[in-house]
């Protein structure tokens, strides 16, 4: 069997671990693997590379993706989906493994309905894909953000400052909540709960009245203020056009927040945007194991003919869930876990 594999959307640590697992498992099942370059782009405008044991040797711990990625949407232009299906045939591929988040797998779900034999693997540092408890890449992003918060702690304390740390996560507060808990943040702000500036400043003032001279605020890039006169309500954006899936580029809320906190509390404040550092570098052991399990399971799904589904982690088991189900709604942060974080605010 000849299987295509592609990585779409924002990269994340663990992509190479999945590719390696797919190639190694396929080898044991006498199948060949071809990597499509740069996500769906490599299928629309065919560009591929043969992947064998030699190609994937030594990549388990390497960040990024050896086959490249892009935010190409096969449904953006008329005729795109038909072209993708035709090119799959031309390339002689009998199945495709799409490794991606809600955009890449959302497109895969629609292409499956049109006849594409596709299996999904859930990737994203944002952990916002439904149907799976965790996506790979998330644990590494949380570890990186936690390490940054630890470092920010010491300088915050030395200077008696409020430090506002902005993390990624798009419209979900998973990275903020997990890194905030792990890093001992005094306030964590997520997109799911609009920011009430009075409440944030009260928490910081309360902490400082207890003799503390510094505070750490972790804010998700997609967090926004409560809508009330003079307090905004809209997302803070970077100036950039939307991507092919219609997403704006988020970023900058920490700067606005640090300024507002300093004005209200008179505590000197600074902000830090962690940005793409969260997406780079070597995957954690947890992500290497999860990515490997996903890769092996997805390859088995292909050989079972279990198309239109995604390998998913539920509890400690890898199971197959329909792509349509996984991409129907965004998985926002678990309020039970956020509730734990709140116990430590202020
Ligand atoms: O979806 C992953 C992610 O890193 C988001 O957290 C972030 O909003 C976005 O991608 C950034 O995308 P880009 O790399 O295109 O700037």
């Amino acid at each position: 069997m000849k299987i295509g594999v592609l990585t779409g959307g924002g990269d994340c640590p663990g992509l190479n671990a999945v590719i390696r697992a797919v190639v190694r498992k396929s080898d044991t099942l006498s199948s060949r693997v071809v990597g499509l370059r740069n996500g769906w782009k490599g299928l629309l405008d065919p560009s591929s590379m043969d992947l064998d044991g030699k190609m994937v040797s030594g990549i388990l711990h390497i960040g990024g993706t050896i086959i490249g990625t892009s935010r190409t949407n096969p449904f953006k232009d008329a005729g795109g989906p038909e072209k993708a299906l035709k090119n799959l045939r031309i390339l002689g591929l009998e199945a495709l493994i799409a490794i991606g988040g809600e955009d890449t797998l959302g497109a895969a779900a629609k292409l499956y309905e049109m006849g594409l034999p596709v299996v999904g693997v859930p990737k994203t540092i944002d952990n916002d894909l439904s149907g799976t408890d965790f996506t790979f890449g998330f644990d590494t992003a949380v570890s990186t953000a936690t390490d940054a918060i630890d470092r920010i702690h010491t300088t915050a304390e030395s200077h008696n400052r409020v430090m506002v740390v902005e993390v990624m996560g798009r419209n979900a507060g998973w990275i903020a909540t997990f890194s905030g808990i792990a890093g001992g943040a005094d306030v964590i702000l997520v997109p799911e709960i609009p920011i009430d500036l009075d409440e944030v400043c009260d928490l910081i003032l309360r902490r400082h009245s207890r003799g503390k001279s510094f505070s750490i605020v972790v804010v998700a890039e997609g967090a926004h203020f409560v809508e009330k006169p003079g307090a905004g309500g809209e997302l803070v954006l970077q100036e950039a056009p939307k991507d092919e899936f219609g997403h704006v580029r988020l970023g900058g809320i920490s700067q606005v927040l640090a300024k507002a906190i300093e004005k209200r509390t008179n505590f000197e404040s600074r902000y830090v945007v962690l940005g793409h550092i969260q997406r780079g570098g070597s995957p954690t052991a947890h992500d290497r194991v999860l990515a490997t399990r996903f890769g092996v399971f997805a390859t088995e799904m292909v050989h079972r003919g279990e198309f239109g589904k995604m390998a998913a982690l539920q509890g400690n088991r890898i199971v197959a869930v329909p792509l349509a189900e996984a991409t129907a709604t965004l998985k926002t942060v678990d309020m039970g876990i956020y509730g734990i974080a709140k116990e430590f605010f202020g």
Side-chain angles (χ1 to χ4, degrees), residues 85 107-118 306-309 323:
L85 289 165
K110 288 197 264 174
L111 285 167
Y112 167 70
E113 292 301 330
M114 298 174 71
L116 188 83
V118 62
E306 215 172 340
F307 298 117
K309 293 186 180 174
L323 279 167

Side-chain angles (χ1 to χ4, degrees), residues 4-8 34-36 38-40 43 67-68 96-100 104:
V5 60
L6 65 80
T7 52
V34 165
L36 297 168
N38 305 319
W40 292 115
L43 191 57
I67 54 177
L96 180 68
I97 295 180
I99 310 168
T104 303

Side-chain angles (χ1 to χ4, degrees), residues 3-345:
I3 306 166
V5 60
L6 65 80
T7 52
D11 71 339
C12 82
L15 285 166
N16 285 328
V18 180
I19 296 168
R20 170 180 173 268
V22 168
V23 171
R24 296 283 293 272
K25 182 66 193 174
S26 297
D27 202 33
T28 66
L29 297 169
S30 308
S31 285
R32 278 176 59 201
V33 182
V34 165
L36 297 168
R37 292 181 207 266
N38 305 319
W40 292 115
K41 196 166 192 276
L43 191 57
L44 293 176
D45 190 4
S47 174
S48 62
M49 60 199 268
D50 287 332
L51 294 172
D52 56 16
K54 218 167 166 191
M55 288 289 293
V56 300
S57 169
I59 66 169
L60 170 65
H61 65 292
I62 311 282
T65 161
I66 59 163
I67 54 177
T69 185
S70 72
R71 296 196 185 278
T72 303
N73 181 357
F75 288 86
K76 185 181 155 260
D77 295 324
E82 292 74 17
K83 210 191 225 182
L85 289 165
K86 192 173 133 210
N87 289 340
L88 193 88
R89 278 195 303 277
I90 292 173
L91 290 165
L93 299 174
E94 291 153 82
L96 180 68
I97 295 180
I99 310 168
E102 49 146 350
D103 296 331
T104 303
L105 299 187
K110 288 197 264 174
L111 285 167
Y112 167 70
E113 292 301 330
M114 298 174 71
L116 188 83
V118 62
V119 160
V121 173
K123 161 247 63 158
T124 168
I125 63 161
D126 302 340
N127 197 38
D128 58 357
L129 207 55
S130 292
T132 186
D133 293 349
F134 290 102
T135 52
F136 74 84
F138 171 67
D139 185 68
T140 308
V142 168
S143 294
T144 303
T146 303
D147 180 57
I149 296 167
D150 287 348
R151 288 166 191 275
I152 286 160
H153 245 110
T154 58
T155 172
E157 189 162 12
S158 304
H159 286 268
N160 304 317
R161 284 174 174 157
V162 174
M163 296 294 290
V164 182
V165 186
E166 180 174 322
V167 297
M168 280 186 168
R170 201 159 258 160
N171 300 309
W174 289 99
I175 300 177
T177 303
F178 273 59
S179 64
I181 293 175
D186 305 300
V187 183
I188 301 170
L189 302 166
V190 294
E192 291 83 350
I193 305 172
I195 304 168
D196 183 329
L197 195 55
D198 294 337
E199 216 176 274
V200 173
C201 292
D202 284 351
L203 285 167
I204 293 170
L205 287 165
R206 189 175 85 189
R207 177 175 152 81
H208 288 229
S209 73
R210 285 194 288 114
K212 299 284 181 187
S213 60
F214 72 98
S215 289
I216 305 287
V217 177
V218 173
V219 62
E221 61 179 358
H224 52 91
F225 291 99
V226 167
E227 273 186 81
K228 60 182 176 188
E234 62 286 336
L235 290 166
V236 179
L237 308 177
Q238 291 183 37
E239 280 189 36
K242 290 183 179 172
D243 69 20
E244 292 195 7
F245 289 92
H247 298 299
V248 290
R249 252 172 69 194
L250 298 168
I253 181 71
S254 55
Q255 185 177 10
V256 178
L257 198 59
K259 241 190 217 166
I261 291 172
E262 184 168 287
K263 200 168 161 206
R264 293 266 188 118
T265 63
N266 274 327
F267 297 136
E268 192 181 19
S269 304
R270 294 284 191 275
Y271 70 93
V272 184
V273 181
L274 299 187
H276 290 80
I277 289 169
Q278 296 158 96
R279 288 229 310 254
S282 190
T284 56
H286 173 94
D287 275 337
R288 293 181 203 187
V289 173
L290 185 59
T292 300
R293 292 177 75 192
F294 280 153
V296 169
F297 195 85
T299 309
E300 288 169 349
M301 285 168 71
V302 163
H303 287 84
R304 285 197 296 267
E306 215 172 340
F307 298 117
K309 293 186 180 174
M310 173 187 93
L313 180 72
Q314 292 185 357
N316 196 26
R317 292 183 55 231
I318 308 290
V319 297
V321 300
L323 279 167
E325 194 182 307
T327 55
T329 50
L330 204 71
K331 187 183 72 185
T332 53
V333 79
D334 180 326
M335 282 301 142
I337 300 174
Y338 187 76
I340 301 285
K342 274 181 86 173
E343 299 279 344
F344 300 89
F345 284 8

